[in-house]
Amino acid sequence: MNVDVTVVGAGPTGLMLASELALAGVRTRVLERRTEPQRDSRALTLHPRSVELMDQRGLLDRFLPLGRTVPGWHFAQLPTRLDFSVLDSRHGYTLFIAQARTEELLAERARELGVVIERGSEVAGLRQDADGMDVEVRGRDGAVETIRTGYVVGCDGGRSVVRQSAGIAFPGTDETLTGVLGDFATIDPDALDAARAGGVLVAPMEGGLTRLVLIDPERMRVAAAEPVTLEEFRTSLTRVCGTDCGVADPRWLSRFGNATRLAASYRSGRVLLAGDAAHIHFPAAGQGLNTGLQDAMNLGWKLAAEINGWAPPGLLDSYDAERRPVGQLVTENTEVQTLLAELTLVRQYQRPGAALRKLFDELLGMEEVNRTLAARVSGLGTAYPAGTVGTAMAAGADPLVGRRMPDVGLKAVGSEAIRVYELLPAGRFVHLDLVGDDPDLAAAVTPGWGSRVTTVTVTGREDHPDLDGVTEALVRPDGHVAWATRTTEVGDRRTERRAALVAWAGTPA
């Protein structure tokens, strides 16, 4: 076997996945058909859950100085913003950072972990058998090399060659609506209020650039493949908001559409999909890149467990069971947001469309509605169902199971960590002993699972309502809770603990 995993695509999803695999000691190779890193940035944000993931791996200090935090975010460009700051997170904000910068930082991380990123390498074909896969790779010189690999993960975008080669269906809807974006070095700042009033998204970027994003009713049926010209952009701006905003010196002009598709499965044997290869949609609320990063965080440790030989039954399949429903929710809410925007642009629906937007805006003014949608768009509301692994444990599972572990402050025996997330950079399970009344705890966990599970006895922690009465918890490498108990009797807790460890971390070594 030349390599354990071949990741196809060196965008944010592929680089995040490669880093997660390498962190677990998996030999990983990244193939990228582009010869140079992406200069232009379609995505500009890391939402709260993605920021938490960087925090969990000790990477946040690399990202924060290069971005700008924004506490509110939009839903369908409605006037009332989603309030991320009220959510249960230390990172209740969107980090405004260009995709190109995110890719640069993740590539740096991957290389530090020994990952080889091969640019100018394009997948020409895949064949899988019971023992592995043959991947045909066309290099820069046109020559085709066949490499042997254990698994292939397609992180190669909406036109994924990996997905097509594996025969995975990609059902959904074709493009019916397009918008345009432009990054400009020259712009009239005094005209930007008029642009915003006309529904144009205005986003300041690094390097003195300003991004404008709009949908022109008279050009919204133009195919996304048709190039955008500066003249078209100026004309559309004038039509939409009464001024061309003085735009000049475009760094990048692009058209994007609302084609929406979700892979029928995220796994077919030894082939797996993540990011845009698994789901595409209109870029409403900036969820695409973030969903891909969260796919990678979920898949990385599970695929590594399979390769390293300790994955319990069903662990790798739980990737599809957990992440495909998330992809479904994202594609659905982006379709809703797109419709709310489109209705006001179609003449016969303008009046009822405006009324519908007004109604939605009023609903966003209600705290519970705003919080619900903010949790969904931010990724902080993602909770996986109990029983995706170890189905027998689903019955009577604690309410914490499947949810994000609260990042409470703590004091722990033999640890310098002062927060839960500071226990997670190694990408292992973390077993939290919150009561310290079992003298045989270390002897019960460390010999069998010590290479997979870090046991921490907590001597003090911040109060958190979700943790009231919790005596022990097993936190997954991706920060979600695998098991929690409020049982106080030590003997019963030992039985629960062992069952949870076997179900999630495999049989003891």
Side-chain angles (χ1 to χ4, degrees):
M1 198 77 69
N2 297 114
V3 67
D4 295 321
V5 178
T6 298
V7 176
V8 182
T13 299
L15 293 170
M16 185 76 179
L17 176 62
S19 295
E20 287 295 290
L21 291 167
L23 187 63
V26 173
R27 295 175 302 160
T28 305
R29 185 176 187 177
V30 178
L31 305 178
E32 171 55 57
R33 66 176 179 80
R34 296 175 301 181
T35 57
E36 299 293 335
Q38 185 81 344
R39 184 190 71 164
D40 302 312
S41 300
R42 188 165 294 279
L44 296 176
T45 59
L46 291 182
H47 283 332
R49 182 54 181 161
S50 298
V51 175
E52 286 190 344
L53 300 186
M54 301 308 170
D55 191 4
Q56 290 171 8
R57 290 298 182 263
L59 302 175
L60 192 53
D61 287 347
R62 307 186 189 195
F63 285 83
L64 279 179
L66 300 178
R68 177 171 56 90
T69 60
V70 182
W73 201 243
H74 69 90
F75 186 86
Q77 286 294 106
L78 292 167
T80 301
R81 312 290 270 182
L82 299 177
D83 187 359
F84 289 165
S85 69
V86 301
L87 300 177
D88 180 22
S89 174
R90 294 182 186 273
H91 307 293
Y93 54 82
T94 281
L95 182 65
F96 211 80
I97 183 171
Q99 178 177 336
R101 187 68 73 184
T102 295
E103 288 187 13
E104 177 186 319
L105 294 174
L106 291 175
E108 176 185 85
R109 162 72 164 176
R111 291 191 185 97
E112 288 171 359
L113 294 169
V115 175
V116 176
I117 302 170
E118 300 179 22
R119 296 194 173 275
S121 298
E122 186 172 3
V123 172
L126 301 174
R127 292 185 302 275
Q128 66 172 304
D129 53 51
D131 300 317
M133 299 193 66
D134 291 320
V135 183
E136 295 179 356
V137 183
R138 183 177 293 108
R140 299 186 189 210
D141 59 359
V144 176
E145 168 198 9
T146 299
I147 62 174
R148 185 70 173 167
T149 186
Y151 290 84
V152 172
V153 185
C155 303
D156 51 339
R159 299 182 180 87
S160 172
V161 172
V162 172
R163 186 189 63 243
Q164 295 175 44
S165 298
I168 299 174
F170 203 37
T173 56
D174 291 333
E175 169 190 299
T176 60
L177 172 80
T178 58
V180 292
L181 68 81
D183 296 340
F184 299 98
T186 300
I187 198 165
D188 178 5
D190 294 332
L192 295 183
D193 285 342
R196 294 186 183 96
V200 178
L201 177 65
V202 180
M205 301 173 65
E206 64 179 65
L209 298 176
T210 301
R211 170 165 295 180
L212 301 182
V213 185
L214 69 130
I215 302 173
D216 179 350
E218 295 191 22
R219 299 287 293 170
M220 65 184 184
R221 307 304 181 198
V222 176
E226 182 173 320
V228 185
T229 66
L230 177 57
E231 180 182 359
E232 177 194 357
F233 210 101
R234 284 172 168 162
T235 301
S236 290
L237 275 172
T238 302
R239 188 159 38 231
V240 168
C241 60
T243 171
D244 69 1
C245 299
V247 295
D249 304 319
R251 163 77 174 268
W252 186 40
L253 298 172
S254 180
R255 201 182 312 271
F256 55 92
N258 69 331
T260 302
R261 298 186 178 277
L262 180 68
S265 174
Y266 283 18
R267 181 186 181 192
S268 177
R270 293 179 174 272
V271 175
L272 299 110
L273 305 175
D276 287 354
H279 41 76
I280 60 170
H281 48 81
F282 202 64
Q287 298 172 86
L289 180 150
N290 291 278
T291 306
L293 290 176
Q294 292 154 36
D295 289 343
M297 192 74 160
N298 184 289
L299 175 59
W301 64 274
K302 295 175 179 178
L303 184 53
E306 187 74 23
I307 291 166
N308 289 330
W310 59 261
L315 182 65
L316 189 53
D317 284 332
S318 74
Y319 169 62
D320 177 270
E322 292 183 345
R323 291 305 299 174
R324 192 174 180 280
V326 174
Q328 182 80 50
L329 287 173
V330 171
T331 55
E332 288 174 354
N333 86 54
T334 53
E335 286 180 312
V336 168
Q337 293 184 69
T338 306
L339 181 61
L340 283 172
E342 183 178 4
L343 285 176
T344 61
L345 304 175
V346 179
R347 188 177 302 278
Q348 65 264 41
Y349 297 130
Q350 282 180 342
R351 188 182 59 79
L356 184 61
R357 285 181 64 84
K358 181 180 178 183
L359 174 60
F360 262 79
D361 195 57
E362 290 173 357
L363 292 173
L364 282 179
M366 299 178 183
E367 182 180 349
E368 185 175 352
V369 174
N370 195 298
R371 185 184 292 269
T372 297
L373 288 177
R376 183 166 295 183
V377 169
S378 69
L380 296 179
T382 299
Y384 302 128
T388 55
V389 174
T391 53
M393 298 184 63
D398 190 89
L400 265 182
V401 171
R403 294 165 55 190
R404 298 161 36 253
M405 179 67 190
D407 185 28
V408 295
L410 53 77
K411 294 180 181 179
V413 175
S415 173
E416 296 182 358
I418 58 173
R419 298 182 288 114
V420 170
Y421 287 3
E422 291 181 334
L423 298 169
L424 291 168
R428 294 152 50 110
F429 284 93
V430 172
H431 170 251
L432 295 173
D433 172 17
L434 299 175
V435 288
D437 61 351
D438 185 353
D440 298 324
L441 180 63
V445 177
T446 303
W449 292 279
S451 61
R452 311 167 207 163
V453 181
T454 299
T455 292
V456 178
T457 298
V458 177
T459 57
R461 64 171 175 82
E462 290 178 338
D463 289 333
H464 192 288
D466 291 347
L467 297 177
D468 288 347
V470 175
T471 50
E472 293 185 34
L474 183 64
V475 183
R476 300 167 16 162
D478 58 9
H480 285 259
V481 178
W483 164 76
T485 185
R486 297 168 204 257
T487 300
T488 57
E489 205 284 317
V490 173
D492 291 343
R493 213 160 65 232
R494 288 173 179 168
T495 301
E496 286 186 42
R497 180 196 311 137
R498 180 175 177 82
L501 288 168
V502 170
W504 282 97
T507 55

